[in-house]
Amino acid sequence: MDNEEKLFELMTKIYNEMQKEFANFRCEMQEEFKNVRGEMQEEFKNVRGEMQEGFKEVNGRIDNVEVEMKDFRKETTDKFKEVNGRIDNVEVKVKDFRKETNERFDRLENKMDDIEANNADRHVEITGQIEDMKSDLSRIEINTADNWRDIARIKAK
């Protein structure tokens, strides 16, 4: 196997490793996105369930306690305040979660940009080194041919 074949084989291995790293990184990003989506869906389900339970309780009390309307109104008002407070709390959590998620995605995008820039620089550097090696190999081949010619002349004398 000559040097060009070895060099090509080495470059192929490097390229394949880089492709595997990109694939792994993409999988990690997709998994993180799935996790974030799952967490958001779970939080929305919890909020929806809590709201539905609160409204069922309020509706049941209205149907069963018409005589105690004055007390019931106070109790209902209190419950709505609690539900609204919980909804406000959930909205704050969702906003914070969205902000954190956006920051994570921004960091991931920045990391990907850095990786792409580094890989581009390495590609240019490797390409230059390959060109230098090709030039060196050409010079070695020429010198070797000259040496063999000189050896043949010396043997001929």
Side-chain angles (χ1 to χ4, degrees):
M1 180 183 287
D2 66 349
N3 287 339
E4 287 184 1
E5 289 174 345
K6 288 180 183 178
L7 181 61
F8 179 76
E9 189 176 295
L10 177 61
M11 288 177 50
T12 302
K13 286 180 183 178
I14 291 171
Y15 175 78
N16 289 335
E17 289 176 9
M18 288 173 49
Q19 291 298 324
K20 287 177 186 176
E21 285 296 322
F22 278 125
N24 289 340
F25 185 68
R26 176 177 283 141
C27 288
E28 289 174 10
M29 285 182 46
Q30 289 172 342
E31 190 63 32
E32 182 67 23
F33 181 76
K34 287 178 186 177
N35 291 340
V36 168
R37 177 181 277 163
E39 290 172 6
M40 288 176 64
Q41 289 174 342
E42 189 64 32
E43 193 67 31
F44 282 120
K45 285 179 185 178
N46 291 339
V47 170
R48 186 178 296 129
E50 290 172 2
M51 287 176 54
Q52 288 173 347
E53 288 299 317
F55 285 118
K56 284 179 184 178
E57 181 180 330
V58 170
N59 286 333
R61 288 180 180 172
I62 290 172
D63 293 339
N64 295 329
V65 189
E66 291 179 1
V67 176
E68 301 174 8
M69 188 60 82
K70 187 175 183 180
D71 293 338
F72 180 73
R73 283 184 182 171
K74 184 183 181 316
E75 187 178 325
T76 303
T77 302
D78 292 343
K79 287 292 179 182
F80 274 120
K81 286 180 182 177
E82 180 183 334
V83 169
N84 284 333
R86 291 169 81 183
I87 290 170
D88 291 342
N89 188 24
V90 168
E91 286 177 346
V92 168
K93 286 180 181 178
V94 169
K95 286 179 185 177
D96 290 345
F97 183 74
R98 282 183 181 167
K99 181 180 176 183
E100 181 181 339
T101 302
N102 287 337
E103 288 172 357
R104 283 183 180 177
F105 280 123
D106 289 344
R107 285 194 307 266
L108 288 173
E109 286 176 351
N110 290 338
K111 284 181 183 179
M112 285 183 59
D113 291 343
D114 291 344
I115 288 171
E116 288 178 12
N118 289 339
N119 285 338
D121 290 343
R122 288 194 333 203
H123 176 76
V124 169
E125 183 181 327
I126 290 171
T127 302
Q129 290 173 352
I130 290 171
E131 292 301 320
D132 290 345
M133 286 183 203
K134 283 182 181 179
S135 175
D136 291 345
L137 284 173
S138 295
R139 275 190 257 129
I140 290 170
E141 288 175 347
I142 291 169
N143 290 340
T144 302
D146 288 343
N147 288 343
W148 279 107
R149 185 188 66 221
D150 291 343
I151 290 170
R153 284 184 187 161
I154 291 170
K155 283 183 180 180
K157 290 184 179 184

